[in-house]
Amino acid sequence: MKKLVKNLVRNLGFAAVLLAVLLLAGAMPALAASEQDYEAAFAAAAAAEKQAAWLRNEWTPTEAQLAAAKKAAAAGDFAAAITAAKEAEALAKASVFQATSESERWKDMEIR
Amino acid sequence: MHARHIFLSAIAALVGGVLACVAASAIAAPDKIDPAADAKAFQKYFTDKFPQVKFEDFVNGPYSMNEDMRKQWEEKEQFPPYEFSLEAGKEVFATPFGNGKTYADCFPNGGLGIRQNYPYFDEKEGKVVTLELALNRCREANGEAPYSYVDDEMASLTAYMAFTSRGKPFDIKIPNDPRALQAYENGKRYFYTRRGQLNFSCATCHVQSPGERIRAEVLAPALGILNAMPIYRSEWSGMGTISRRLVTCNSQTRAVPLEPQSDEYRDLEYFLSYVSNGLPISGPGARP
Protein backbone atom coordinates (compact mmCIF):
# COMPACT_ATOMS: atom_id res chain seq x y z
CA MET A 1 0.00 0.00 0.00
CA LYS A 2 2.72 2.38 1.01
CA LYS A 3 4.56 1.41 -2.11
CA LEU A 4 1.53 2.09 -4.19
CA VAL A 5 1.12 5.63 -2.84
CA LYS A 6 4.76 6.30 -3.33
CA ASN A 7 4.47 5.11 -6.89
CA LEU A 8 1.43 7.22 -7.50
CA VAL A 9 3.12 10.32 -6.20
CA ARG A 10 6.11 9.63 -8.31
CA ASN A 11 3.93 9.13 -11.37
CA LEU A 12 1.96 12.26 -10.66
CA GLY A 13 5.16 14.16 -10.32
CA PHE A 14 6.26 12.85 -13.67
CA ALA A 15 2.93 13.75 -15.20
CA ALA A 16 3.18 17.27 -13.83
CA VAL A 17 6.62 17.72 -15.30
CA LEU A 18 5.40 16.35 -18.59
CA LEU A 19 2.42 18.69 -18.54
CA ALA A 20 4.61 21.68 -17.80
CA VAL A 21 6.90 20.81 -20.67
CA LEU A 22 3.96 20.42 -23.02
CA LEU A 23 2.48 23.74 -21.92
CA LEU A 24 5.75 25.47 -22.42
CA ALA A 25 6.19 23.95 -25.81
CA GLY A 26 2.71 25.07 -26.76
CA ALA A 27 3.46 28.56 -25.62
CA MET A 28 6.77 28.73 -27.42
CA PRO A 29 5.68 29.92 -30.87
CA ALA A 30 3.48 32.62 -29.36
CA LEU A 31 6.18 33.74 -26.98
CA ALA A 32 8.76 33.79 -29.66
CA ALA A 33 6.94 35.35 -32.59
CA SER A 34 10.48 35.57 -33.63
CA GLU A 35 12.21 37.26 -36.46
CA GLN A 36 13.05 33.83 -37.76
CA ASP A 37 9.40 32.79 -37.94
CA TYR A 38 8.58 36.03 -39.66
CA GLU A 39 11.29 35.48 -42.19
CA ALA A 40 9.99 32.03 -43.00
CA ALA A 41 6.43 33.33 -43.35
CA PHE A 42 7.56 36.21 -45.54
CA ALA A 43 9.66 33.98 -47.74
CA ALA A 44 6.67 31.69 -48.32
CA ALA A 45 4.49 34.67 -49.23
CA ALA A 46 7.14 36.15 -51.50
CA ALA A 47 7.58 32.83 -53.29
CA ALA A 48 3.85 32.58 -53.95
CA GLU A 49 3.74 36.18 -55.18
CA LYS A 50 6.68 35.49 -57.46
CA GLN A 51 4.68 32.72 -59.05
CA ALA A 52 1.74 35.12 -59.48
CA ALA A 53 4.10 37.63 -61.11
CA TRP A 54 5.37 34.95 -63.46
CA LEU A 55 1.74 34.36 -64.45
CA ARG A 56 1.33 38.15 -64.83
CA ASN A 57 -1.45 38.09 -62.27
CA GLU A 58 -0.48 39.85 -59.05
CA TRP A 59 -3.18 41.41 -56.90
CA THR A 60 -2.87 44.78 -55.21
CA PRO A 61 -4.08 43.47 -51.80
CA THR A 62 -1.23 40.94 -51.83
CA GLU A 63 1.25 43.72 -52.38
CA ALA A 64 -0.38 45.70 -49.58
CA GLN A 65 -0.07 42.80 -47.12
CA LEU A 66 3.55 42.20 -48.09
CA ALA A 67 4.28 45.86 -47.45
CA ALA A 68 2.41 45.73 -44.13
CA ALA A 69 4.41 42.67 -43.10
CA LYS A 70 7.70 44.42 -43.83
CA LYS A 71 6.60 47.51 -41.98
CA ALA A 72 5.50 45.59 -38.87
CA ALA A 73 8.74 43.60 -38.89
CA ALA A 74 10.79 46.76 -39.15
CA ALA A 75 8.94 48.05 -36.09
CA GLY A 76 9.75 44.81 -34.27
CA ASP A 77 6.14 43.61 -34.15
CA PHE A 78 6.77 40.11 -35.45
CA ALA A 79 3.37 38.76 -34.46
CA ALA A 80 1.65 41.33 -36.70
CA ALA A 81 4.27 40.81 -39.38
CA ILE A 82 3.60 37.06 -39.43
CA THR A 83 -0.16 37.60 -39.64
CA ALA A 84 0.27 39.95 -42.62
CA ALA A 85 2.73 37.62 -44.34
CA LYS A 86 0.33 34.68 -43.97
CA GLU A 87 -2.48 36.79 -45.39
CA ALA A 88 -0.24 37.78 -48.30
CA GLU A 89 0.60 34.15 -48.95
CA ALA A 90 -3.08 33.18 -49.00
CA LEU A 91 -3.89 36.04 -51.40
CA ALA A 92 -0.97 35.23 -53.68
CA LYS A 93 -2.02 31.59 -53.81
CA ALA A 94 -5.56 32.64 -54.69
CA SER A 95 -4.25 34.78 -57.55
CA VAL A 96 -2.16 31.87 -58.83
CA PHE A 97 -5.23 29.67 -58.67
CA GLN A 98 -7.23 32.30 -60.56
CA ALA A 99 -4.65 32.58 -63.33
CA THR A 100 -4.47 28.82 -63.67
CA SER A 101 -8.21 28.25 -63.76
CA GLU A 102 -8.70 31.15 -66.20
CA SER A 103 -6.23 29.69 -68.68
CA GLU A 104 -9.15 27.87 -70.32
CA ARG A 105 -12.17 29.31 -68.55
CA TRP A 106 -11.88 32.72 -70.22
CA LYS A 107 -13.47 31.19 -73.29
CA ASP A 108 -16.78 30.84 -71.46
CA MET A 109 -17.17 34.59 -71.54
CA GLU A 110 -16.27 35.05 -75.17
CA ILE A 111 -18.80 36.54 -77.57
CA ARG A 112 -19.18 34.05 -80.38
CA MET B 1 -1.33 -16.91 -81.63
CA HIS B 2 1.12 -14.50 -80.19
CA ALA B 3 1.56 -12.75 -83.55
CA ARG B 4 -2.17 -12.48 -83.96
CA HIS B 5 -2.46 -10.89 -80.58
CA ILE B 6 0.13 -8.25 -81.48
CA PHE B 7 -1.63 -7.64 -84.77
CA LEU B 8 -4.96 -7.10 -83.05
CA SER B 9 -3.38 -4.77 -80.53
CA ALA B 10 -1.84 -2.77 -83.33
CA ILE B 11 -5.21 -2.44 -85.06
CA ALA B 12 -6.81 -1.39 -81.83
CA ALA B 13 -4.11 1.22 -81.25
CA LEU B 14 -4.51 2.50 -84.77
CA VAL B 15 -8.28 2.79 -84.47
CA GLY B 16 -7.90 4.42 -81.09
CA GLY B 17 -5.41 6.88 -82.49
CA VAL B 18 -7.63 7.79 -85.38
CA LEU B 19 -10.58 8.26 -83.02
CA ALA B 20 -8.46 10.43 -80.76
CA CYS B 21 -7.43 12.56 -83.72
CA VAL B 22 -11.01 12.97 -84.85
CA ALA B 23 -12.04 13.91 -81.33
CA ALA B 24 -9.15 16.35 -80.98
CA SER B 25 -9.90 18.06 -84.25
CA ALA B 26 -13.57 18.28 -83.33
CA ILE B 27 -12.59 19.98 -80.09
CA ALA B 28 -9.92 22.11 -81.71
CA ALA B 29 -12.10 23.30 -84.56
CA PRO B 30 -13.97 26.09 -82.72
CA ASP B 31 -10.60 27.36 -81.49
CA LYS B 32 -9.37 28.27 -84.94
CA ILE B 33 -8.34 31.93 -84.86
CA ASP B 34 -10.86 33.74 -87.04
CA PRO B 35 -10.74 37.49 -86.39
CA ALA B 36 -13.27 38.36 -89.10
CA ALA B 37 -15.87 36.02 -87.60
CA ASP B 38 -15.10 37.36 -84.12
CA ALA B 39 -15.56 40.97 -85.20
CA LYS B 40 -18.87 40.14 -86.81
CA ALA B 41 -20.16 38.37 -83.70
CA PHE B 42 -18.79 41.12 -81.46
CA GLN B 43 -20.55 43.90 -83.36
CA LYS B 44 -23.77 41.91 -83.59
CA TYR B 45 -23.78 41.35 -79.84
CA PHE B 46 -23.83 45.09 -79.20
CA THR B 47 -26.18 46.10 -82.00
CA ASP B 48 -28.63 43.40 -80.82
CA LYS B 49 -28.28 44.42 -77.19
CA PHE B 50 -28.77 48.13 -77.93
CA PRO B 51 -31.00 48.31 -81.01
CA GLN B 52 -31.78 51.97 -80.30
CA VAL B 53 -28.12 53.02 -80.54
CA LYS B 54 -26.92 53.98 -84.01
CA PHE B 55 -23.85 52.03 -85.12
CA GLU B 56 -21.53 55.08 -85.36
CA ASP B 57 -22.71 56.18 -81.95
CA PHE B 58 -20.98 53.33 -80.11
CA VAL B 59 -17.79 55.39 -80.30
CA ASN B 60 -19.20 57.84 -77.80
CA GLY B 61 -18.75 55.55 -74.83
CA PRO B 62 -21.10 56.22 -71.94
CA TYR B 63 -22.97 58.91 -73.92
CA SER B 64 -24.30 56.34 -76.34
CA MET B 65 -25.90 54.56 -73.39
CA ASN B 66 -27.54 57.37 -71.47
CA GLU B 67 -29.77 60.16 -72.77
CA ASP B 68 -29.27 62.61 -69.88
CA MET B 69 -25.52 62.31 -70.01
CA ARG B 70 -25.64 62.80 -73.73
CA LYS B 71 -27.41 66.15 -73.39
CA GLN B 72 -24.87 67.42 -70.89
CA TRP B 73 -22.11 66.25 -73.17
CA GLU B 74 -23.50 67.96 -76.25
CA GLU B 75 -23.59 71.22 -74.34
CA LYS B 76 -20.06 70.67 -73.15
CA GLU B 77 -18.78 69.94 -76.65
CA GLN B 78 -19.27 73.59 -77.53
CA PHE B 79 -16.33 74.37 -75.25
CA PRO B 80 -14.59 71.03 -75.17
CA PRO B 81 -12.30 70.51 -72.16
CA TYR B 82 -9.69 68.80 -74.35
CA GLU B 83 -9.23 71.94 -76.44
CA PHE B 84 -6.18 73.00 -74.48
CA SER B 85 -4.51 69.63 -74.87
CA LEU B 86 -5.34 69.55 -78.57
CA GLU B 87 -3.68 72.92 -79.13
CA ALA B 88 -0.63 71.85 -77.15
CA GLY B 89 -0.41 68.63 -79.17
CA LYS B 90 -0.60 70.48 -82.45
CA GLU B 91 2.24 72.74 -81.40
CA VAL B 92 4.46 69.95 -80.09
CA PHE B 93 3.79 67.89 -83.19
CA ALA B 94 5.09 70.68 -85.40
CA THR B 95 8.09 71.58 -83.23
CA PRO B 96 11.34 70.12 -84.58
CA PHE B 97 13.46 67.80 -82.43
CA GLY B 98 17.00 68.78 -81.53
CA ASN B 99 18.20 67.25 -84.81
CA GLY B 100 15.80 69.32 -86.89
CA LYS B 101 13.46 66.46 -87.80
CA THR B 102 9.82 66.30 -86.72
CA TYR B 103 7.19 63.68 -85.86
CA ALA B 104 5.90 64.02 -89.41
CA ASP B 105 9.11 62.38 -90.63
CA CYS B 106 8.35 59.19 -88.69
CA PHE B 107 4.86 58.52 -90.00
CA PRO B 108 3.06 57.84 -93.26
CA ASN B 109 1.27 60.90 -94.63
CA GLY B 110 3.20 63.14 -92.25
CA GLY B 111 1.27 61.63 -89.34
CA LEU B 112 -2.01 63.28 -90.34
CA GLY B 113 -5.22 61.28 -90.70
CA ILE B 114 -3.63 57.95 -89.83
CA ARG B 115 -4.92 57.20 -86.31
CA GLN B 116 -7.41 54.65 -87.70
CA ASN B 117 -4.53 52.39 -88.81
CA TYR B 118 -3.09 51.94 -85.30
CA PRO B 119 -2.18 49.59 -83.81
CA TYR B 120 -0.64 47.64 -86.65
CA PHE B 121 1.32 44.42 -86.74
CA ASP B 122 4.96 45.00 -87.56
CA GLU B 123 6.13 41.93 -89.44
CA LYS B 124 9.78 42.82 -88.99
CA GLU B 125 9.54 43.05 -85.22
CA GLY B 126 6.88 40.35 -85.06
CA LYS B 127 4.85 42.46 -82.65
CA VAL B 128 1.99 44.92 -82.38
CA VAL B 129 2.89 48.61 -82.56
CA THR B 130 0.49 51.10 -81.03
CA LEU B 131 0.40 54.81 -81.80
CA GLU B 132 1.77 55.71 -78.36
CA LEU B 133 4.65 53.30 -78.85
CA ALA B 134 5.36 54.60 -82.36
CA LEU B 135 5.47 58.16 -81.02
CA ASN B 136 8.04 57.30 -78.37
CA ARG B 137 10.09 55.31 -80.86
CA CYS B 138 10.06 58.34 -83.10
CA ARG B 139 11.36 60.46 -80.24
CA GLU B 140 14.08 58.00 -79.35
CA ALA B 141 15.15 57.54 -82.97
CA ASN B 142 15.66 61.28 -83.06
CA GLY B 143 17.67 61.49 -79.88
CA GLU B 144 14.85 62.62 -77.59
CA ALA B 145 13.85 61.03 -74.28
CA PRO B 146 10.60 59.06 -74.42
CA TYR B 147 7.48 60.51 -72.79
CA SER B 148 5.65 58.80 -69.97
CA TYR B 149 2.81 56.77 -71.43
CA VAL B 150 0.35 57.99 -68.83
CA ASP B 151 1.09 61.72 -68.77
CA ASP B 152 -0.16 64.84 -70.54
CA GLU B 153 2.46 65.14 -73.28
CA MET B 154 1.60 61.75 -74.78
CA ALA B 155 -2.11 62.52 -74.42
CA SER B 156 -1.71 65.84 -76.27
CA LEU B 157 0.14 64.27 -79.16
CA THR B 158 -2.34 61.43 -79.59
CA ALA B 159 -5.22 63.89 -79.18
CA TYR B 160 -3.94 65.91 -82.09
CA MET B 161 -3.33 62.86 -84.26
CA ALA B 162 -6.79 61.48 -83.46
CA PHE B 163 -8.35 64.83 -84.26
CA THR B 164 -6.83 64.84 -87.74
CA SER B 165 -8.40 61.40 -88.26
CA ARG B 166 -11.90 62.13 -86.99
CA GLY B 167 -14.59 60.36 -88.94
CA LYS B 168 -12.21 57.85 -90.51
CA PRO B 169 -13.28 54.30 -89.75
CA PHE B 170 -10.93 52.01 -87.84
CA ASP B 171 -9.09 49.98 -90.45
CA ILE B 172 -6.96 47.51 -88.51
CA LYS B 173 -5.29 44.82 -90.57
CA ILE B 174 -4.25 41.38 -89.45
CA PRO B 175 -1.69 40.13 -91.95
CA ASN B 176 -1.63 36.49 -92.87
CA ASP B 177 1.17 35.80 -90.43
CA PRO B 178 0.76 33.29 -87.61
CA ARG B 179 2.44 35.73 -85.21
CA ALA B 180 -0.12 38.41 -86.00
CA LEU B 181 -2.98 35.97 -85.46
CA GLN B 182 -1.43 34.90 -82.19
CA ALA B 183 -1.05 38.52 -81.05
CA TYR B 184 -4.72 39.08 -81.82
CA GLU B 185 -5.67 35.90 -79.97
CA ASN B 186 -3.55 36.89 -76.97
CA GLY B 187 -5.29 40.26 -76.88
CA LYS B 188 -8.65 38.54 -76.99
CA ARG B 189 -7.66 36.20 -74.16
CA TYR B 190 -6.47 39.15 -72.09
CA PHE B 191 -9.80 40.90 -72.64
CA TYR B 192 -11.88 37.96 -71.44
CA THR B 193 -9.65 36.74 -68.62
CA ARG B 194 -10.78 37.48 -65.08
CA ARG B 195 -8.20 39.04 -62.86
CA GLY B 196 -7.69 40.94 -59.64
CA GLN B 197 -9.15 40.11 -56.26
CA LEU B 198 -12.57 41.13 -57.59
CA ASN B 199 -12.30 38.45 -60.27
CA PHE B 200 -13.44 40.73 -63.12
CA SER B 201 -12.44 40.65 -66.75
CA CYS B 202 -12.67 43.64 -69.06
CA ALA B 203 -15.74 41.90 -70.46
CA THR B 204 -17.46 41.70 -67.08
CA CYS B 205 -17.76 45.49 -67.10
CA HIS B 206 -17.68 46.47 -70.77
CA VAL B 207 -19.55 43.54 -72.37
CA GLN B 208 -21.92 42.29 -69.69
CA SER B 209 -22.74 45.62 -68.08
CA PRO B 210 -22.41 48.59 -70.47
CA GLY B 211 -24.90 51.33 -69.65
CA GLU B 212 -24.97 50.28 -66.02
CA ARG B 213 -23.64 52.49 -63.31
CA ILE B 214 -20.61 51.71 -61.28
CA ARG B 215 -20.32 54.29 -58.54
CA ALA B 216 -21.04 57.57 -60.37
CA GLU B 217 -19.95 56.34 -63.79
CA VAL B 218 -21.86 54.80 -66.67
CA LEU B 219 -19.95 51.91 -68.23
CA ALA B 220 -18.94 52.28 -71.88
CA PRO B 221 -19.61 49.41 -74.31
CA ALA B 222 -16.52 47.52 -75.49
CA LEU B 223 -17.53 48.12 -79.09
CA GLY B 224 -15.84 51.36 -80.18
CA ILE B 225 -14.24 51.76 -76.75
CA LEU B 226 -10.92 53.04 -78.12
CA ASN B 227 -12.27 55.30 -80.87
CA ALA B 228 -12.58 58.35 -78.61
CA MET B 229 -9.18 58.01 -76.98
CA PRO B 230 -7.43 59.92 -75.57
CA ILE B 231 -10.06 61.36 -73.25
CA TYR B 232 -10.41 64.25 -70.90
CA ARG B 233 -11.95 63.20 -67.60
CA SER B 234 -13.12 65.56 -64.90
CA GLU B 235 -12.14 62.97 -62.33
CA TRP B 236 -8.56 63.14 -63.60
CA SER B 237 -8.95 66.89 -64.16
CA GLY B 238 -6.97 66.23 -67.27
CA MET B 239 -6.32 64.00 -70.22
CA GLY B 240 -5.68 60.29 -70.23
CA THR B 241 -4.01 58.12 -72.83
CA ILE B 242 -5.09 54.59 -73.67
CA SER B 243 -2.26 53.36 -71.45
CA ARG B 244 -3.55 55.38 -68.52
CA ARG B 245 -7.08 54.05 -68.98
CA LEU B 246 -5.95 50.42 -69.11
CA VAL B 247 -3.85 50.82 -65.98
CA THR B 248 -6.78 52.47 -64.19
CA CYS B 249 -9.25 49.79 -65.24
CA ASN B 250 -6.92 47.02 -64.07
CA SER B 251 -6.43 48.69 -60.69
CA GLN B 252 -10.19 48.91 -60.21
CA THR B 253 -10.36 45.14 -60.05
CA ARG B 254 -7.50 45.07 -57.51
CA ALA B 255 -5.09 43.67 -60.05
CA VAL B 256 -1.55 45.00 -60.24
CA PRO B 257 -1.52 46.75 -63.62
CA LEU B 258 1.10 45.77 -66.19
CA GLU B 259 3.72 48.15 -67.51
CA PRO B 260 2.26 50.49 -70.15
CA GLN B 261 2.98 49.12 -73.63
CA SER B 262 3.72 45.65 -72.32
CA ASP B 263 3.06 42.93 -74.92
CA GLU B 264 -0.28 42.13 -73.28
CA TYR B 265 -1.57 45.70 -73.48
CA ARG B 266 -0.37 46.06 -77.06
CA ASP B 267 -2.16 42.85 -78.06
CA LEU B 268 -5.26 43.91 -76.14
CA GLU B 269 -5.37 47.17 -78.06
CA TYR B 270 -4.94 45.26 -81.31
CA PHE B 271 -7.90 43.03 -80.50
CA LEU B 272 -10.18 45.83 -79.29
CA SER B 273 -9.38 48.03 -82.27
CA TYR B 274 -9.82 45.24 -84.78
CA VAL B 275 -13.29 44.28 -83.53
CA SER B 276 -14.27 47.96 -83.85
CA ASN B 277 -13.24 48.10 -87.50
CA GLY B 278 -15.69 50.26 -89.44
CA LEU B 279 -16.44 52.59 -86.53
CA PRO B 280 -15.15 56.15 -86.94
CA ILE B 281 -12.37 57.70 -84.90
CA SER B 282 -13.96 60.30 -82.61
CA GLY B 283 -11.06 61.28 -80.37
CA PRO B 284 -10.15 63.19 -78.44
CA GLY B 285 -13.12 62.62 -76.17
CA ALA B 286 -14.47 64.27 -73.04
CA ARG B 287 -15.98 62.40 -70.13
CA PRO B 288 -17.76 63.66 -67.03
Side-chain angles (χ1 to χ4, degrees):
Chain A
M1 185 68 193
K2 225 181 181 180
K3 206 172 168 191
L4 195 80
V5 171
K6 215 168 146 188
N7 240 336
L8 191 71
V9 168
R10 214 174 50 213
N11 278 346
L12 271 179
F14 179 73
V17 169
L18 192 71
L19 193 70
V21 167
L22 283 176
L23 278 175
L24 259 179
M28 280 306 268
L31 278 179
S34 70
E35 187 159 3
Q36 232 178 354
D37 296 331
Y38 156 70
E39 270 163 9
F42 191 88
E49 184 66 338
K50 201 169 157 194
Q51 207 185 344
W54 189 76
L55 294 165
R56 307 282 275 164
N57 198 41
E58 294 149 289
W59 291 356
T60 48
T62 315
E63 293 292 307
Q65 289 298 332
L66 286 171
K70 272 191 188 157
K71 202 172 151 198
D77 186 349
F78 293 111
I82 288 170
T83 307
K86 293 217 156 125
E87 181 69 24
E89 185 187 0
L91 286 163
K93 284 187 168 160
S95 70
V96 167
F97 176 79
Q98 179 188 53
T100 316
S101 75
E102 280 296 301
S103 73
E104 286 299 318
R105 257 191 55 186
W106 67 268
K107 291 177 188 156
D108 298 348
M109 224 193 258
E110 189 188 345
I111 299 176
R112 286 175 191 272
Chain B
M1 181 70 200
H2 188 64
R4 195 167 141 224
H5 184 78
I6 290 173
F7 178 72
L8 281 179
S9 304
I11 295 269
L14 199 71
V15 169
V18 167
L19 280 178
C21 280
V22 168
S25 63
I27 292 165
D31 284 336
K32 188 175 153 279
I33 304 173
D34 188 348
D38 286 356
K40 207 171 153 204
F42 199 86
Q43 301 195 355
K44 182 174 184 304
Y45 172 88
F46 286 97
T47 50
D48 284 357
K49 190 170 169 120
F50 300 103
Q52 76 287 6
V53 176
K54 273 196 293 183
F55 184 60
E56 315 81 68
D57 222 24
F58 279 104
V59 303
N60 295 316
Y63 304 123
S64 63
M65 302 279 107
N66 186 297
E67 204 41 49
D68 289 344
M69 276 179 77
R70 191 190 178 88
K71 289 217 179 81
Q72 289 171 24
W73 167 56
E74 279 167 354
E75 282 159 24
K76 240 194 197 163
E77 274 295 288
Q78 306 186 323
F79 303 99
Y82 51 74
E83 195 69 40
F84 180 76
S85 171
L86 193 54
E87 284 306 311
K90 186 175 179 179
E91 200 179 312
V92 173
F93 191 84
T95 309
F97 301 125
N99 66 4
K101 295 212 171 168
T102 65
Y103 289 104
D105 296 317
C106 296
F107 292 94
N109 199 40
L112 305 182
I114 59 162
R115 161 69 184 105
Q116 71 283 358
N117 301 325
Y118 286 78
Y120 69 93
F121 187 80
D122 182 344
E123 298 198 64
K124 246 192 245 142
E125 189 190 351
K127 286 191 180 194
V128 170
V129 177
T130 64
L131 186 60
E132 292 171 19
L133 187 66
L135 278 162
N136 261 348
R137 286 187 174 171
C138 176
R139 293 183 58 77
E140 289 182 285
N142 287 289
E144 305 285 329
Y147 284 142
S148 154
Y149 285 109
V150 294
D151 284 348
D152 288 350
E153 291 89 351
M154 185 57 83
S156 302
L157 277 171
T158 53
Y160 174 62
M161 291 179 81
F163 189 75
T164 67
S165 314
R166 270 197 179 176
K168 297 191 188 239
F170 247 136
D171 186 16
I172 305 302
K173 303 249 177 1
I174 300 181
N176 191 14
D177 176 330
R179 296 168 306 169
L181 283 168
Q182 196 54 52
Y184 165 87
E185 183 73 5
N186 291 347
K188 178 165 93 178
R189 173 162 23 92
Y190 192 89
F191 180 78
Y192 289 112
T193 297
R194 293 170 200 271
R195 61 179 56 81
Q197 192 187 28
L198 299 188
N199 201 34
F200 278 20
S201 73
C202 309
T204 313
C205 286
H206 296 294
V207 171
Q208 297 183 340
S209 326
E212 285 173 31
R213 277 181 190 274
I214 180 165
R215 281 175 250 118
E217 301 182 290
V218 173
L219 284 166
L223 178 60
I225 203 166
L226 295 176
N227 295 54
M229 302 304 285
I231 46 171
Y232 177 94
R233 299 188 76 226
S234 315
E235 197 196 314
W236 290 339
S237 31
M239 298 290 290
T241 55
I242 291 175
S243 291
R244 182 174 185 182
R245 189 65 254 190
L246 298 184
V247 164
T248 312
C249 278
N250 272 165
S251 308
Q252 281 179 357
T253 66
R254 300 195 191 144
V256 174
L258 304 176
E259 323 77 62
Q261 302 301 324
S262 58
D263 289 350
E264 289 91 337
Y265 282 164
R266 286 156 72 176
D267 293 347
L268 172 65
E269 216 184 303
Y270 194 42
F271 163 73
L272 277 175
S273 306
Y274 179 83
V275 294
S276 295
N277 264 350
L279 281 168
I281 297 297
S282 64
R287 300 289 179 256

